[in-house]
Amino acid sequence: MEIKEKIMEHTKEVEDIIVKFLPAEEGYQKTVMEAMNYSFLAGGKRLRPMLMLETYRLFGGSSKAIEPFMAAIEMIHTYSLIHDDLPAMDNDDYRRGRKTTHVVYGEAMGILAGDALLNFAFETACKGLMLEPGNPNVAKAMQLLAQKAGIYGMLGGQVADVESEGLPLEREKLDFIYDLKTGALIEASMLIGAVLAGADEEAQNVILQVAGDIGLAFQIQDDILDVTSDMETLGKPIGSDEKNHKTTYVTIRGLEQAQKDVEEISQRALDGLASLKEKNGYLDELVAYLIHRKK
Amino acid sequence: MEIKEKIMEHTKEVEDIIVKFLPAEEGYQKTVMEAMNYSFLAGGKRLRPMLMLETYRLFGGSSKAIEPFMAAIEMIHTYSLIHDDLPAMDNDDYRRGRKTTHVVYGEAMGILAGDALLNFAFETACKGLMLEPGNPNVAKAMQLLAQKAGIYGMLGGQVADVESEGLPLEREKLDFIYDLKTGALIEASMLIGAVLAGADEEAQNVILQVAGDIGLAFQIQDDILDVTSDMETLGKPIGSDEKNHKTTYVTIRGLEQAQKDVEEISQRALDGLASLKEKNGYLDELVAYLIHRKK
């Protein structure tokens, strides 16, 4: 089977798991539930829950406790997109070809829907905690989720990104933003998979490095595609970074060097996975594919 | 000692505990940490962490695991105020005599500071979880925090409140809003205290009813003060509900009946506490005081 087909199958599997945790649309608070589900169901690669599940499988995990955490990480990713799109932030009217949440439901409900998804992510993860309330690995997974999403994780990266808008950016700060804004949730995904499956500390450290590299390669590839792709392939306007005078990895390192870097970083991620005694062939293929993605 | 003095002393005690959990203001994400602390340190009654601590004591609790939960519930209360004040929501420039967060730090940072506090609440509660990772009571406390803050708790009440703005409100929906918007976090506070101290299920049910009554009495008293108080005493403009054509408990029941109801509901809360074999004299006094508060 071609890797693209395999990814489609696995995406379907992940979707079927995570949608089970969405709230029913009912009661006086129905609108916010509709807005949550509208945003969550807008599509996307489901990369984070997929990496979580495959890392969990890599280390032989097989319990249902992983499922609420898969849904939770996607809820956190979705809330961050809703709030990023708000008028006071990036002010985007469209995402993935659909109207953004605040355009459909109004700005107040956009704020509340984001808040609701962030809160519901923890509420959902608590279901995992209550499945095995005495298991310290589940408590550790909960802590990783909170840490990697917050001010020392994704949100910290968003803050630095918002504050850098329109300003020239030094390499150190760009690395910080990439590491946190994109990297942190991918690290959370893979580490939670590893921790819940009971991977030892040495293996957890390998996974942390691998996940950091995947996040970085993913983000650099985003910058490269913004320069080299076309709108039809990418599904969104290209050249937006240049238009917004945005400092990216490509503007700092140049296109050719950025392409070399992405190969090198990705290879390092694959080498990391290869160094483990545990194997998951699909995870290797997925990581290799992500690097050469065209959108 | 007068009850007011006692409350001041206890507020100081609670403050000293909860401020320990605030983030240091450093790194590229420094601004959001400043905004979080600015809002958190703006004062307030610290009612929720105080009720949590005193309910914990009522049932003989004495471990440090309560402390991160006290900070967490106040962080959630604070985030809800920051987002409520945003231009797209209530658009308030002042709260407790200080400029609101978005006025000082800008709207984007106001949104992010609220998100950050909500996330940091769970990050902080996880510290309690990691103190006793195998203790199912701590896991249960974490779940209560998430449930009572989210769409089936406080946030659900906010959504119904936002959607009712400017519309006539039937009694059933008003009760729903009061129960969730104000009641849920007070229920979370007292229940978490009871659960962490190991109270049995029967006692937990009494506490749930008592907390619900305290929340309701507190909110009705708010409506009464908006009609009967003066700006100097209250510290904010009075008559704002009438000006905004807002349906309140007072407009539905009339002032006199509302005053009778608040007495009755409060007495029910005190009777609930009296029915328990465990006693906390200060908690009784605090509840009795809250009802007759003038601001």
Side-chain angles (χ1 to χ4, degrees), chain B residues 6-20:
Chain B
K6 275 195 209 171
I7 291 177
M8 270 176 64
E9 269 190 15
H10 279 84
T11 307
K12 173 85 174 56
E13 181 193 17
V14 168
E15 290 257 354
D16 288 346
I17 292 172
I18 61 181
V19 298
K20 288 188 300 187

Side-chain angles (χ1 to χ4, degrees), chain A residues 31 83 115 119 146 151 163, chain B residues 29 31 83 115 119 146 151 163:
Chain A
T31 312
H83 280 190
D115 295 348
N119 194 103
I151 49 175
E163 288 202 311
Chain B
Q29 63 278 66
T31 312
H83 279 189
D115 295 348
N119 194 103
I151 49 175
E163 289 201 311

Side-chain angles (χ1 to χ4, degrees), chain A residues 26-38:
Chain A
E26 59 191 12
Y28 285 124
Q29 64 278 66
K30 188 178 175 188
T31 312
V32 81
M33 293 150 166
E34 287 173 1
M36 292 162 79
N37 294 346
Y38 172 82

Side-chain angles (χ1 to χ4, degrees), chain B residues 152-171:
Chain B
Y152 305 108
M154 181 188 67
L155 202 141
Q158 283 177 296
V159 171
D161 195 26
V162 163
E163 289 201 311
S164 307
E165 217 177 85
L167 301 171
L169 209 59
E170 69 274 31
R171 175 71 193 270

Side-chain angles (χ1 to χ4, degrees), chain A residues 12-85:
Chain A
K12 172 85 173 56
E13 181 194 18
V14 168
E15 290 257 355
D16 287 347
I17 292 171
I18 60 181
V19 299
K20 287 189 301 189
F21 293 92
L22 291 176
E25 297 172 0
E26 59 191 12
Y28 285 124
Q29 64 278 66
K30 188 178 175 188
T31 312
V32 81
M33 293 150 166
E34 287 173 1
M36 292 162 79
N37 294 346
Y38 172 82
S39 324
F40 192 90
L41 296 172
K45 302 183 183 68
R46 310 304 188 191
L47 181 61
R48 291 155 193 82
M50 192 184 290
L51 286 171
M52 188 186 286
L53 179 61
E54 295 307 327
T55 309
Y56 185 64
R57 285 176 171 160
L58 169 67
F59 293 106
S62 62
S63 119
K64 292 256 178 221
I66 192 73
E67 296 190 351
F69 284 94
M70 290 169 61
I73 199 93
E74 190 71 4
M75 287 172 194
I76 289 177
H77 175 57
T78 307
Y79 116 78
S80 77
L81 300 181
I82 298 177
H83 280 190
D84 264 352
D85 289 337

Side-chain angles (χ1 to χ4, degrees), chain B residues 13 28 32 51 88 97 188 190 194 206 217 269 281 294:
Chain B
E13 181 193 17
Y28 285 124
V32 82
L51 286 171
M190 297 187 73
V206 172
K294 295 283 172 273

